[in-house]
Amino acid sequence: EGVQSAPLYAGLHLDSQAEAQLRASIDGVLSEELRQRVEAHLRDKKRRLHVTLWHVQRDSMAALSQLRAAEGRRVGIELCAVAADEVCVAVSVRVLPAEDGQQVACYNEHPHITVWCQPGRAVHSNELLAQALGGGGGGEAAGAVALLDLPERTRVWGSVSLHYS
């Protein structure tokens, strides 16, 4: 039996119903300009909204084993706030227990779903949230940062999956 290669990342992927709930939840807090950017970004069907739980360039291989075991499990995601600057828009989230009550680990310091970013700048969402939420983070957001609380905390579901490209 061959050795399984490491994935690029492990994530909680939203299905189309969860994506629609997320869009409805953030729609009321975004400016028209940001709403248009998000809509254009999400029209690309190759983009699937997700919470990155583990990333090969950031997290240990030992941490990956628990996520491999959780692959396919449906996990709750609470939408908390929207952070935005000139480079990206990200929804800060809280990872809730799975349907079976088990907690799935998230190794991202600021769990989030990136809903828009300039090409090639997705990693910037981590820096943006670090600044917006006051956690430092080793990078700087681009220009003014807006942190918009969501008036109603919406709960959606995502499925744990590993991605190799």
Side-chain angles (χ1 to χ4, degrees):
E1 189 171 308
V3 175
Q4 191 171 13
S5 64
L8 179 60
Y9 73 97
L12 287 177
H13 279 78
L14 281 63
D15 62 19
S16 57
Q17 180 182 352
E19 285 190 15
Q21 289 176 279
L22 178 142
R23 291 163 94 164
S25 178
I26 68 173
D27 203 42
V29 300
L30 295 177
S31 69
E32 184 59 30
E33 178 185 0
L34 289 178
R35 193 171 17 258
Q36 289 176 2
R37 288 179 185 177
V38 168
E39 286 302 316
H41 187 75
L42 296 181
R43 267 188 228 113
D44 180 350
K45 295 298 179 196
K46 291 178 289 202
R47 299 183 200 280
R48 291 211 35 227
L49 294 180
H50 66 277
V51 177
T52 300
L53 300 172
W54 177 94
H55 197 282
V56 69
Q57 293 180 341
R58 180 191 64 216
D59 303 310
S60 76
M61 294 306 290
L64 181 60
S65 63
Q66 190 246 7
L67 294 171
R68 279 192 199 279
E71 193 167 12
R73 185 175 282 158
R74 279 177 39 93
V75 175
I77 304 166
E78 182 181 59
L79 309 178
C80 300
V82 178
D85 67 6
E86 290 302 312
V87 175
C88 74
V89 177
V91 179
S92 173
V93 304
R94 192 165 65 100
V95 177
L96 302 170
E99 285 181 318
D100 62 7
Q102 297 294 310
Q103 188 67 45
V104 172
C106 179
Y107 298 96
N108 196 332
E109 184 177 358
H110 300 289
H112 65 278
I113 300 167
T114 302
V115 294
W116 171 77
C117 65
Q118 292 178 355
R121 300 290 305 270
V123 72
H124 176 77
S125 56
N126 291 300
E127 298 165 359
L128 168 68
L129 284 156
Q131 182 173 336
L133 299 171
E140 290 191 17
V145 175
L147 181 64
L148 311 161
D149 278 322
L150 294 173
E152 292 184 28
R153 297 277 174 107
T154 300
R155 180 182 185 158
V156 299
W157 293 93
S159 296
V160 177
S161 56
L162 306 181
H163 293 267
Y164 293 85
S165 61

